[in-house]
Amino acid sequence: MTSSNDLRIVGAVRETLRAELERDDRIIVYGEDVGRDGGVFRATEDLQDRFPEQVYDAPLAEAGIIGVGVGLAAAGLVPVPEIQFQGFIYQAFHQLQQHVSRIRSRSRGTVTCPMTIRTPYGGGINALEHHGESYEAGFAHIPGLKVVIPSSPVETAGLLRASIRDPDPVVFMEPTRLYRTFRESVPDEHVIPLGEGRIVEAGSDLTVVSWGSMLRETLDAVESVDADVEVIDPRTITPFDTELVASSVKKTGRCVVVHEAPRTGGFAAEIAARINEEALHYLEAPVGRVTAYDVPQPFFAREDAYRPDAARIARTIRETMQD
């Protein structure tokens, strides 16, 4: 990968995997259709031809895909499995909760599980039922798992490389709606440390925290409001950069959190709680939330009404500014 490469997110995934497979022959990429077909989104296209000993197709069996990774990791390999859509990862949830996340604790630190579980997530592509889930809060509730969500090609390359090199398991959630929407120049050997958020736009009136595909809607919303808004992309849900968000809220006094997962028990609630713990006396208004609704992800005819858009985000920003 060279600094002159303008890549979309799907290309950043493919090129980062290629570079990591070349760097470390312990890395094993596998999953449903990732080999001969190159993945349902073509994120692993041509990798099997270049690395036939490291890239494999797997049976249609999510529990087996994740369970095999536990054994590979324990044997000293670095598994990078793909779950074709996040809506089907629940077939392997027991492996994640009972085994993947606990190896380090169970073995008193003698065995780790350096596994990066890639999974497309989120709505906006007119897919069928179970193909547009957003469940980051559920994974964040499992101690031992890291949860990473990129929002651009550069972020994807840097965070995926850091995830693969991490000694512990990572759930790497790729926003399907952004796979092919825009390009960025991605530098070589780009690594973004896990747990460090970024200020996307600086501001002094209000803080907005948003990640994944919702960051695009948030930036559109910010342009339409009459306020100096600071936009933060946490990059990782676990670990979460509480210090960055609390510092911003201490400056602005107001905060809105945006995500496309359902409202109740969503990660916005956890962020609001942390702001209460770290910056309560600086708040000039309650923390606002813009989320999807507490209903199952609808079929695509109602998808746009379900997922937050720039108008809903802008309305909550204005309401929070008036409190």
Side-chain angles (χ1 to χ4, degrees):
M1 187 162 39
T2 68
S3 58
S4 62
N5 272 353
D6 286 333
L7 300 174
R8 298 185 176 94
I9 283 181
V10 69
V13 170
R14 185 187 311 116
E15 288 304 304
T16 303
L17 289 175
R18 182 197 58 73
E20 289 299 287
L21 285 163
E22 201 165 54
R23 179 188 63 84
D24 187 347
D25 62 10
R26 296 177 306 147
I27 294 173
I28 305 295
V29 172
Y30 65 103
E32 297 158 9
D33 297 326
V34 305
R36 187 172 62 179
D37 287 346
V40 67
F41 292 101
R42 302 296 181 263
T44 55
E45 193 168 33
D46 297 330
L47 292 182
Q48 190 176 53
D49 290 338
R50 301 186 65 166
F51 306 96
E53 303 298 321
Q54 292 174 262
V55 181
Y56 298 94
D57 282 315
L60 185 64
E62 286 79 10
I65 290 170
I66 301 304
V68 163
V70 178
L72 293 173
L77 299 173
V78 182
V80 185
E82 176 187 295
I83 297 296
Q84 205 168 62
F85 288 92
Q86 189 182 96
F88 298 98
I89 203 171
Y90 313 119
Q91 315 302 330
F93 204 76
H94 65 299
Q95 294 284 3
L96 288 168
Q97 199 274 337
Q98 295 177 345
H99 301 297
V100 171
S101 64
R102 293 174 181 241
I103 285 184
R104 179 184 286 278
S105 173
R106 182 177 291 151
S107 67
R108 304 298 185 264
T110 60
V111 179
T112 61
C113 189
M115 180 160 60
T116 298
I117 301 148
R118 295 183 39 250
T119 178
Y121 95 103
I125 59 170
N126 294 341
L128 304 174
E129 187 179 14
H130 299 308
H131 291 69
E133 310 286 323
S134 179
Y135 196 60
E136 59 267 35
F139 300 115
H141 193 66
I142 301 175
L145 286 184
K146 293 183 174 72
V147 182
V148 179
I149 307 179
S151 58
S152 75
V154 168
E155 296 287 305
T156 297
L159 292 167
L160 181 56
R161 186 170 278 108
S163 298
I164 292 172
R165 298 179 184 184
D166 196 275
D168 291 305
V170 174
V171 177
F172 193 85
M173 298 169 56
E174 298 163 5
T176 52
R177 195 160 59 90
L178 299 184
Y179 261 146
R180 289 182 166 81
T181 53
F182 63 102
R183 294 177 179 269
E184 284 182 335
S185 180
V186 179
D188 291 333
E189 277 295 315
H190 184 46
V191 179
I192 298 173
L194 303 184
E196 294 185 9
R198 65 177 177 130
I199 295 175
V200 182
E201 288 190 5
S204 58
D205 292 338
L206 180 142
T207 302
V208 179
V209 183
S210 178
W211 53 87
S213 68
M214 284 294 98
L215 185 60
R216 304 281 290 182
E217 267 74 15
T218 296
L219 294 174
D220 289 343
V222 166
E223 287 185 2
S224 68
V225 299
D226 185 20
D228 189 20
V229 178
E230 183 148 291
V231 179
I232 290 179
D233 176 6
R235 294 171 163 156
T236 59
I237 300 303
T238 305
F240 184 77
D241 195 344
T242 304
E243 183 177 351
L244 178 67
V245 173
S247 175
S248 177
V249 172
K250 287 177 181 177
K251 178 177 65 176
T252 65
R254 292 178 167 85
C255 184
V256 171
V257 185
V258 182
H259 61 60
E260 66 175 291
R263 184 181 185 87
T264 299
F267 205 74
E270 174 65 24
I271 295 172
R274 294 191 189 195
I275 291 171
N276 281 342
E277 293 166 351
E278 301 293 333
L280 176 64
H281 298 296
Y282 295 84
L283 283 176
E284 298 180 32
V287 176
R289 290 184 286 171
V290 188
T291 71
Y293 301 106
D294 289 339
V295 298
Q297 171 87 17
F299 292 114
F300 54 81
R302 298 288 181 269
E303 197 173 40
D304 289 343
Y306 170 80
R307 198 181 60 253
D309 59 15
R312 284 176 59 191
I313 298 168
R315 183 166 64 246
T316 302
I317 290 174
R318 294 189 187 99
E319 291 171 352
T320 305
M321 287 297 300
Q322 292 171 359
D323 282 337

